């Protein structure tokens, strides 16, 4: 088998990996680089330009640094990913009026299938994107495991995942947190407990800044709302995502204390809001309740109007996403805006990525002969594994 890292080596994000045999060519992930405004599409013949020359593209999860170039894949190449992941992705894109590719090939966890002479086994894993997969590839007695992005600190048991992994020849693993000093990953349960402790004794407004596609985090703050007797407020965008994610995910249609509000009036959005019937809530209604409201930096003018109905003074804004987004001007302006209204910002977040223990456990379990680090700025970390060779080249035959 042959592996070629087209992009994503020695950097975090933008993964594009080719795995091939003599007769089959597969791509794992088609990411854009983090924070890229205009995507740079690598000149890959047969994938993004020229005549289609790949059997399939397998996408581990819906973060932009893994899926961002999906619209650039040449027609006639089959695309596979998790079905729920695709539905969340598609709903999000449609809501934002972006184009999406239709796909009809979906992973089912641990259901094997063949692409040419490569046996594929997707394995559901925990990450800050819903319905994420590791991907195992097997051909002619050679086995590769590609981790995508994963963590051990979510609600899914990492140990039960480890038990289901086999020994491999090549491990292509992420190492996002290896360049972060003293990285410690809190669990979603830790976050829940801290948030409850922070707000349980007050009746002030509580806001949460988090990505609407981080379904695990939505569950965490929903649980916080239940434990502190607050209603949980989602705007129409988040509500459309939680609705498609499935019945056990808190959404306004199926959960009694989840309500939906609208920040961007338009005919289309009014229609969406109307479909929620008695689960919709306006600013005057919100002002009468104890609540946790999920917000985004684009909601300033809505929150300005809401602050005319209810004082935010003494309130809390949980900042529950990667600290790097604070450098974004919209984000820092939003936080200043909330602080000017008397809202205290509390950082409460845990990464979607594996810490050193999780990576170590994965390596001990899969006993790779070769490790290809990807999605990391510290590949040297892997050198402590003396029983395997660390591959730094972007091409590898085995
Ligand atoms: Zn990633
Ligand atoms: Zn990711």
């Amino acid at each position: 088998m042959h592996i070629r890292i087209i992009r994503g080596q020695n950097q975090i994000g933008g993964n594009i990996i080719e795995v091939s045999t003599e007769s089959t060519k597969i791509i794992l992930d088609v990411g854009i680089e983090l924070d890229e405004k205009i995507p740079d599409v690598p000149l890959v013949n047969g994938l993004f330009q020229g005549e289609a020359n790949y059997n399939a593209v397998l996408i581990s999860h819906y973060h932009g640094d893994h899926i961002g170039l999906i619209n650039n894949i040449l027609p006639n190449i089959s695309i596979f990913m998790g079905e729920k992941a695709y539905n969340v992705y598609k709903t999000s894109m449609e809501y934002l009026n972006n184009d999406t590719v239709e796909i009809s090939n979906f992973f089912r966890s641990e259901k094997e299938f063949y692409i040419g002479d490569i046996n594929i086994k997707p394995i559901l894993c925990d990450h800050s994107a819903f319905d994420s997969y590791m991907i195992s590839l097997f051909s002619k007695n050679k086995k590769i495991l590609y981790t995508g992005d994963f963590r051990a600190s979510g609600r899914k048991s990492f140990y039960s995942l480890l038990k289901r992994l086999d020994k491999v020849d090549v491990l292509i693993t992420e190492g996002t947190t290896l360049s972060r000093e003293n990285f410690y990953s809190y669990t979603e349960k830790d976050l829940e407990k801290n948030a409850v402790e922070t707000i349980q004794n007050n009746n002030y407004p509580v806001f949460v800044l988090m990505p609407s596609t981080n379904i695990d985090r939505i569950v965490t703050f929903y649980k916080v709302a239940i434990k502190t007797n607050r209603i949980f407020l989602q705007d129409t965008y988040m509500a459309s995502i939680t609705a498609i994610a499935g019945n056990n995910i808190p959404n306004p249609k199926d959960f009694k204390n989840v309500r939906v509000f609208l920040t961007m009036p338009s005919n289309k959005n009014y229609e969406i809001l109307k479909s929620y019937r008695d689960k919709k809530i306006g600013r005057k209604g919100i002002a009468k309740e104890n609540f946790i409201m999920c917000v985004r930096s684009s909601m300033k003018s809505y929150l300005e109007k809401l602050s005319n109905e209810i004082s935010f003074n003494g309130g809390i804004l949980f900042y529950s996403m990667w600290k790097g987004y604070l450098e974004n001007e919209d984000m820092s302006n939003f936080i200043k805006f909330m602080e000017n209204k008397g809202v205290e910002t509390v950082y409460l977040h845990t990464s979607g990525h594996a810490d050193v223990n999780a990576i170590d456990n994965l390596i001990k379990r899969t006993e790779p002969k070769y490790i290809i680090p990807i999605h990391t700025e510290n590949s040297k970390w892997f050198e402590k594994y003396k029983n395997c060779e660390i591959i730094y080249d972007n091409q590898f035959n085995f």
Side-chain angles (χ1 to χ4, degrees), residues 171-343:
L171 178 66
I172 307 173
T173 181
E174 73 131 310
T176 315
T177 68
L178 300 177
S179 51
R180 299 182 187 166
E181 263 178 56
N182 302 323
F183 178 82
Y184 174 78
S185 52
Y186 291 97
T187 64
E188 290 291 327
K189 277 233 166 302
D190 294 332
L191 299 191
E192 184 185 320
K193 191 165 162 277
N194 286 349
V196 169
E197 281 167 9
T198 310
I199 63 171
Q200 64 187 353
N201 294 322
N202 76 45
N203 293 324
Y204 296 116
V206 175
F207 305 92
V208 189
L209 265 169
M210 64 176 154
S212 297
T213 52
N214 188 342
I215 305 289
D216 273 14
R217 192 58 46 80
I218 294 173
V219 172
T220 296
F221 276 101
Y222 170 73
K223 290 184 172 197
V224 175
I226 297 281
K227 288 191 172 158
T228 58
N229 293 317
R230 290 161 189 269
I231 58 166
F232 191 59
L233 300 174
Q234 304 180 350
D235 80 313
T236 45
Y237 172 60
M238 183 184 278
S240 63
I241 289 170
T242 53
I244 199 81
N247 286 340
N248 57 347
I249 304 303
N251 71 79
K253 283 194 173 141
D254 302 316
F255 285 64
K256 205 168 87 243
N257 55 340
V258 181
R259 306 286 294 274
V260 61
F261 64 101
L262 174 67
T263 65
M264 302 274 246
S266 71
N267 288 345
K268 178 184 141 196
N269 288 348
Y270 274 128
E271 283 309 307
I272 295 174
L273 187 70
K274 262 196 341 212
S275 72
Y276 288 97
R277 299 162 184 266
D278 58 338
K279 302 310 290 292
K280 60 186 191 298
I281 188 165
R283 292 191 295 273
K284 287 199 178 354
I286 293 172
K288 290 183 198 139
E289 301 275 358
N290 277 338
F291 61 82
I292 293 182
M293 176 184 261
C294 303
V295 295
R296 288 191 300 283
S297 59
S298 57
M299 291 182 185
K300 248 163 56 181
S301 64
Y302 179 84
L303 291 168
E304 182 64 57
K305 287 183 214 145
L306 181 63
S307 70
N308 295 329
E309 306 287 340
I310 177 176
S311 167
F312 291 1
N313 199 21
I316 297 281
L317 170 66
F318 287 113
Y319 181 87
S320 194
M321 53 183 145
W322 182 50
K323 265 193 175 142
Y325 295 130
L326 285 168
E327 281 162 30
N328 180 320
E329 206 181 310
D330 283 349
M331 188 61 82
S332 56
N333 285 342
F334 180 79
I335 286 173
K336 263 186 235 143
F337 163 81
M338 293 298 271
E339 287 178 346
N340 286 338
K341 300 222 168 277
V343 176

Side-chain angles (χ1 to χ4, degrees), residues 12-15 34 61 63 65-66 127 148-149 176 353 375:
I12 294 172
N15 287 15
L34 286 173
H61 66 286
H63 283 154
D65 60 324
H66 299 259
H127 179 47
D149 289 349
T176 315
H353 297 281
H375 207 285

